[in-house]
Amino acid sequence: MLHAFAWTCVMPCEVKSRFLLLYGSQKGQAQSIAEEIADQASAHGLVADLFCLSNKEKYNLEKETAPVVFVVSTTGDGEPPDTALSFVKTIKEKTLPRNHFARLNYAVLGLGDTNYANFCNCGKTIDGRLHELGAKRFYSTGHADDGVGLEIVVDPWIEGVWEALKKTVAEMATQGQQDTDSGRSMLNTDPRAANQESTGAPGLNLSLGSLKLKDSPAQASELPKSTSEVETRRTEPAPLEASLTQSLLPLSESALNVPALPPPFLRVSLEDAPAQELSGPVLQEHHQDVSISKAVQLTRDDAVKTAIMLELDISGKDIPYHPGDSFDVLCPNKSSEVQRILQRLSLEQQSHHHVQLELRKDTKKKAAQLPGHVPEGCTLLYLLSWCLEIRSVPKKAFLRALVECTEAAPEKRRLQELCSKQGSGDYNRFIRDTSVCLLDLLLAFPSCNPPLSLLVEHLPKLQPRCYSAASSSQKHPGKLHFVFNIVEFPACPERPVARRGLCTGWLSDLVSPVLQPCGTAQGPLAISSGATLPKVHVGLRTGSSFRLPSDPALPVVMVGPGTGVAPFIGFLQQREKEREAKQDGCFGETWLFFGCRHKDREFLFREELERFVGNGTLTYLKVSFSRDVSEGTHPEPQPSPRYVQHNLLLHAKEVANILLKEKGYFYVCGDAKNMAKDVNDTLVDIIAAETDVDKLGAMKMMATLREEKRYLQDIWG
Ligand code: FAD
């Protein structure tokens, strides 16, 4: 590890001052942003020591004398990413003294998603705790929101961090010099101190002049030096409407600030050598292949969204799940899309060749490493099918790199616009919001011919998709159920062909030959014992706190519209079994708030839920149908509730009692974008109304409920 004042010589007379750059990443976003910062550093006369927070042996914050930048994401219900868990735990240690990090200067860029509770919680926790322990925040903390586009905050934050870093480096160098001087003066009296200080600052003079610290990223008006100015003028008449491939005035004629070209770091070669071809995902220890023993369509054919329930045969497998757990499904990219990419890159003939990856010796990329998700010697077909998320929305850095592989000047210009600062609106509108992917770009920009290495450098790892268990193994030994909606992306000008979600589209194709129609959920297995069962690769996610209370006497409120009902089916199956086993046991009330568009088309698990009500497992089933017109025969005078939150309001008193007086539990599952927020807001209103506190007070009470793990969410979208 480099220590403070270890200056990296680039040219004989040029020194670059270092800073420490630490990231905590779950899906790779924080890592790639940290890498981008590291790559840009040199253009600002700085050099970053870049490490994952989990590599604790590589850094030492207690002894660090250079500024430290953290880039951290947040996962789940406000949890730190796995790679940051241990770090966060360490700094939260209650025994640490108040001045523990008194010498540390830091800045935090937090990534999060406002669709989820505890936005940017990991970034906020690290920021707050370091501050509490005496560290000095040298640049305002960034909170980037994936819900609206991380780059809205990330880009200006990075632009502004350089000046702040340079100023801090200069201040710390002066401080270091003073420390060294005082160390020297101590030399006269204490030889041990002299030994400690002898590795200190070499006394380099930075001559950085008077640098101003920007208080907020928004004030960053100067562009980083790494940003290149691009100015080309069009000669063709301006189009009437902007599109993925065409811009309007003023963008079409403005000078552009585009990001620095990401340094290439991989060399990819294809070898025509025979070897055993891999045929499934790269399995990790906890992944197993299991058969699908049943597939039932839960919605009628005229429903807007199709929901399917799958039963997995996990008998003999080590998948000890509990209701409330979720698990990963590994799926490949769509083969027709893989083929089209191969065609477009003129690589169809080499699809069975073996991919060899090596790091470019001359790369300028900081901490360049071979991607761990590409197994050695896999074929090109395998690489595109199982390793890379080819559907991912290309980041601006990728667009910037694609400019260099595009021949036609108008296409080049448009790609420059889309990754430029000035074209941010167009990027959001034509790429991000429409979920455009690499293949869409290759089709829209025919003269763009990227090398394979660029794809491997820029496309993220293909991620497994997560699903909530919709069964209890007590009720269905050896089986695991889950429910999903087929995600549909309707056609639009940027994507002329409609498509389905990667995993849900794949699963639905996989089971279509054996799919039982709606209304036959109780029927026999659709798959005859002689037939080959379709298989999927799954892995149980561990550490869930989305569980029924250990004391069954406590009441529970469950809110799960649509497929969000899944874990509650598991909960209720478990509770039903517990009640059967302990007939004189004490069981608390159970409430389920379910909702869908139409009662007759999408009322998932209707018979099973009614059975639970019939046998007392479910005390109250409260349903709402958002698109059914009121029949006018409703016995109550008020209009029927449209959404789950309206139904919650109708039972405000009972819900508040359960949570605040009876120590009950409140669970929400399903859509994160709208429903979970609306339910959260409604709960705040209910608590405020029922306890006579103001909104802020109610929010604090909700925070306490979360801390006590009595308000639990399992949300996605
Ligand atoms: P992709 O190709 O990955 O496309 C997904 C994109 O489509 C997203 O970026 C989003 O912007 C958009 N989108 C539009 N509608 C939806 C939608 N309804 N859901 C997700 N993305 C949408 N899904 C279930 O159906 N049932 C479950 O029980 C379930 N449990 C989950 C539990 C957890 C803890 C998490 C994190 C997610 C869960 N999901 C569940 C969501 C699931 O993991 C997938 O995201 C979803 O099935 C879409 O995957 P896909 O590959 O088909 O779509």
Side-chain angles (χ1 to χ4, degrees), residues 262-368:
F265 64 99
L266 285 178
R267 211 177 287 289
V268 179
S269 53
L270 294 172
E271 276 182 22
D272 187 9
Q276 204 188 341
E277 182 137 9
L278 296 166
S279 59
V282 195
L283 288 185
Q284 289 182 1
E285 248 171 57
H286 65 292
H287 290 152
Q288 307 188 46
D289 62 326
V290 295
S291 302
I292 296 175
S293 45
K294 193 169 177 176
V296 186
Q297 183 171 317
L298 299 183
T299 45
R300 254 175 32 183
D301 289 342
D302 54 354
V304 174
K305 286 185 189 168
T306 305
I308 292 178
M309 194 274 286
L310 296 188
E311 179 184 83
L312 304 179
D313 183 357
I314 58 166
S315 49
K317 306 275 177 182
D318 183 23
I319 307 183
Y321 79 96
H322 296 274
D325 279 344
S326 48
F327 62 95
D328 286 334
V329 172
L330 295 100
C331 67
N333 285 311
K334 201 169 161 65
S335 77
S336 58
E337 289 171 23
V338 170
Q339 288 306 328
R340 292 196 79 184
I341 291 181
L342 286 170
Q343 279 164 9
R344 192 49 191 70
L345 302 182
S346 306
L347 287 170
E348 313 109 283
Q349 302 306 321
Q350 284 122 291
S351 65
H352 294 284
H353 287 194
H354 292 270
V355 179
Q356 303 294 338
L357 300 183
E358 57 176 324
L359 288 178
R360 292 169 77 126
K361 299 212 164 54
D362 57 349
T363 185
K364 302 231 162 19
K365 185 175 169 67
K366 252 323 255 177

Side-chain angles (χ1 to χ4, degrees), residues 186-203:
M186 283 163 70
L187 190 72
N188 299 334
T189 53
D190 187 351
R192 285 167 304 151
N195 278 342
Q196 282 163 12
E197 296 294 325
S198 60
T199 53

Side-chain angles (χ1 to χ4, degrees), residues 326 391 465-468 483-485 487 489 501-504 563 566 673 714 716-717:
S326 48
R391 283 275 191 92
R465 273 42 173 184
C466 184
Y467 295 92
S468 314
V483 189
F484 64 91
N485 271 329
V487 173
F489 296 94
L502 183 66
C503 186
T504 55
T563 47
K673 286 209 166 100
D714 181 13
W716 63 82

Side-chain angles (χ1 to χ4, degrees), residues 79 161 171 183 257 303 365 387 410 427 485 536 546 602 643 709:
E79 309 299 329
V161 80
E171 282 172 0
N257 297 103
K365 185 175 169 67
C387 306
Y427 175 84
N485 271 329
V536 284
F546 202 83
E602 299 123 336
Y643 295 109
K709 304 240 177 265

